[in-house]
Amino acid sequence: MFDPTQLPVMSLAGEAAVAPARLSPTALRQRFAQTLAWDPEISTETDDRLAAPFRRAAVLIPLVERPEGVTVLLTRRTDHLTSHAGQVSFPGGRSEDYDSSPIETALRETEEEIGLSRHRIEIIGVLPDYATISAYRVTPVVALVAPPFTLQVDPGEVAEAFEVPLAWLMDGQHHQRREVNLPQGGSRAFYTMPYEQYFVWGATAAMLRNLFHFLRA
């Protein structure tokens, strides 16, 4: 495993920020109700060396309706986990046989991980599945969250939950591109979005990039 924070920034994505008028709750609902052409970015995390079949998973992209502007609710995983320890992620996880849909997976996992009741959550759409190097095919479920709400994080999985302004994340000037050389040869490029003391990268940053492209369409 490598430390992405120690790798140099190769470039910035650099696209103009999504217009503020497109980031209001009303505009977000309207955008997901539309069918517009747009191009998601292809995952560079997976390749033909993955022998195992993909397992299903889903995450929730919670967009919190704050008076000062919509924010994105994220979590930081605990440091003792065997995979992705300490990383910033969306609430979510592996689908179970009893889940009726990816949306149900995302809602169930969110309630289990951070105690956010589904009664405060309004599903507005889904983004394209994202395939990870750990052989998961993840469905990002986008939702608006209406305050007030109280979170109760599961200390076995989540160290903390925090919010980042959606407008900050939807600005290509904040999307860094870094690259790591792989032991087996070749390299892997990925996006990072450092915000204050938090370091957003990997699959979480990639799914935010797809939300960015979707809202710009």
Side-chain angles (χ1 to χ4, degrees):
M1 189 57 186
F2 60 94
D3 183 354
T5 67
Q6 300 304 306
L7 296 172
V9 176
M10 307 300 292
S11 63
L12 296 179
E15 302 99 336
V18 176
R22 295 190 177 194
L23 301 180
S24 70
T26 298
L28 291 165
R29 291 186 188 94
Q30 291 173 344
R31 174 63 188 94
F32 276 94
Q34 294 175 309
T35 303
L36 300 176
W38 69 286
D39 295 317
E41 292 192 23
I42 303 300
S43 169
T44 59
E45 292 197 37
T46 56
D47 57 36
D48 294 336
R49 289 170 289 189
L50 284 175
F54 282 104
R55 294 161 289 181
R56 299 294 311 189
V59 298
L60 192 75
I61 302 182
L63 306 178
V64 184
E65 301 179 55
R66 298 295 184 190
E68 62 274 18
V70 174
T71 64
V72 180
L73 179 61
L74 294 161
T75 69
R76 184 174 64 83
R77 294 166 63 84
T78 55
D79 292 328
H80 66 262
L81 293 174
T82 56
S83 62
H84 308 294
Q87 290 186 15
V88 170
S89 64
F90 297 115
R94 182 175 59 191
S95 297
E96 301 292 349
D97 292 339
Y98 49 78
D99 290 334
S100 59
S101 68
I103 290 175
E104 178 59 30
T105 298
L107 291 172
R108 175 182 56 76
E109 286 282 341
T110 296
E111 195 155 19
E112 291 175 0
E113 287 186 4
I114 62 174
L116 179 59
S117 170
R118 64 182 62 204
H119 300 299
R120 311 303 300 175
I121 297 172
E122 175 192 349
I123 304 298
I124 59 174
V126 297
L127 293 173
D129 288 353
Y130 186 84
T132 73
I133 198 168
S134 51
Y136 279 97
R137 188 169 296 280
V138 183
T139 301
V141 179
V142 184
L144 290 168
V145 181
F149 55 82
T150 301
L151 301 181
Q152 185 172 355
V153 303
D154 176 359
E157 293 190 56
V158 178
E160 63 176 315
F162 63 97
E163 297 177 30
V164 179
L166 179 62
W168 191 94
L169 290 167
M170 296 295 101
D171 185 344
Q173 293 293 329
H174 299 148
H175 302 172
Q176 303 172 348
R177 193 168 177 86
R178 307 191 191 208
E179 190 173 292
V180 62
N181 293 321
L182 301 175
Q184 63 270 37
S187 62
R188 172 189 164 198
F190 56 92
Y191 284 102
T192 65
M193 302 172 186
Y195 178 79
E196 297 182 349
Q197 71 267 38
Y198 303 105
F199 194 84
V200 184
W201 73 289
T204 301
M207 286 184 271
L208 284 168
R209 280 286 292 176
N210 275 344
L211 178 61
F212 173 70
H213 292 309
F214 178 82
L215 295 180
R216 292 175 72 236

